[in-house]
Amino acid sequence: MCSDESKFCIFFFFFFAYQGPRVWRKRGEAHNAHFLRSSVKFPQSVMLCGAMSSAGVGPLCFLRSKVNTAVYQEVLEHFMLPAADQLYGDADLIFQQGLAPAHSAKASSTWFKDHGIPVLNWPANSPDLNPIENLWGIGKRKMRYARPNNAEELKATIRATWAFITPEQCHRLIDSMPRRIAAVIQAKGAPTNYNHQN
């Protein structure tokens, strides 16, 4: 089961929708209001944690604070364990997580041992090896025409989009793992095309 956190910003979707138009300006018109588009320096955003396996996606957890070890253990307890039950039932699983400080903390390792969940050894800074990174990208592209006005509308849009991700999409991403590993080996650890792949 792969897990990850991701940030969704309201301004991101407006950018996606409006990034295409270009304008021709005459000399001296660079700051004419007619040719400018406003931007938001600190747009409303939400941070969330999700999980997936070849069987589909688990429930989303919207985070209200920075993820420290205590918060991460709450996420594991209240979202990851139910996701594991939903996706695996009584079958064995190996949990994949990033190497953020809260993930790799001794207390988190102890939590996994106490719950009998093996954690996959994982290299740092390796988004091209984590299929859920691509799943976030798929979700964000599906939302590109959404127009949430506030954080609550953004959350509702994310939930609706996440619900339409199929087990088949997840299975294809998990099935790509041997090719991802081969690509990373061939690139000698440099970034690969799997950073941007669907």
Side-chain angles (χ1 to χ4, degrees), residues 87-116:
L87 296 170
Y88 289 93
D90 292 330
D92 292 336
L93 71 98
I94 297 174
F95 191 75
Q96 180 279 326
Q97 61 181 352
L99 291 178
H103 300 177
S104 55
K106 188 174 180 182
S108 297
S109 298
T110 301
W111 186 94
F112 282 109
K113 283 178 189 160
D114 290 347
H115 288 81

Side-chain angles (χ1 to χ4, degrees), residues 5-14 40-49 61-66 140 143 148-159:
E5 291 93 28
S6 188
K7 186 176 187 178
F8 285 68
C9 298
I10 286 177
F11 182 68
F12 171 84
F13 301 104
F14 285 99
V40 180
K41 192 162 190 170
F42 301 106
Q44 286 191 59
S45 64
V46 294
M47 190 75 173
L48 61 148
C49 186
C61 173
F62 289 91
L63 303 167
R64 281 179 249 140
S65 63
K66 190 174 178 181
K140 287 175 180 177
M143 291 172 60
N149 293 306
N150 54 51
E152 288 309 309
E153 288 182 16
L154 178 57
K155 287 179 185 179
T157 304
I158 294 167
R159 283 191 191 99

Side-chain angles (χ1 to χ4, degrees), residues 39 46 60 175 186 196:
S39 65
V46 294
L60 292 173
D175 203 39
Q186 185 175 359
H196 309 290

Side-chain angles (χ1 to χ4, degrees), residues 99-196:
L99 291 178
H103 300 177
S104 55
K106 188 174 180 182
S108 297
S109 298
T110 301
W111 186 94
F112 282 109
K113 283 178 189 160
D114 290 347
H115 288 81
I117 299 172
V119 177
L120 186 65
N121 285 331
W122 200 253
N125 303 316
S126 54
D128 41 3
L129 284 176
N130 192 347
I132 199 171
E133 294 280 359
N134 300 112
L135 201 59
W136 293 132
I138 289 168
K140 287 175 180 177
R141 281 192 296 281
K142 283 179 185 284
M143 291 172 60
R144 68 181 174 267
Y145 299 115
R147 297 289 179 275
N149 293 306
N150 54 51
E152 288 309 309
E153 288 182 16
L154 178 57
K155 287 179 185 179
T157 304
I158 294 167
R159 283 191 191 99
T161 303
W162 192 250
F164 277 102
I165 292 171
T166 65
E168 291 76 22
Q169 284 176 302
C170 296
H171 183 78
R172 279 195 302 272
L173 288 171
I174 296 293
D175 203 39
S176 71
M177 282 305 296
R179 296 189 300 277
R180 290 168 185 267
I181 293 166
V184 169
I185 291 169
Q186 185 175 359
K188 297 185 171 134
T192 71
N193 288 337
Y194 285 98
N195 276 329
H196 309 290

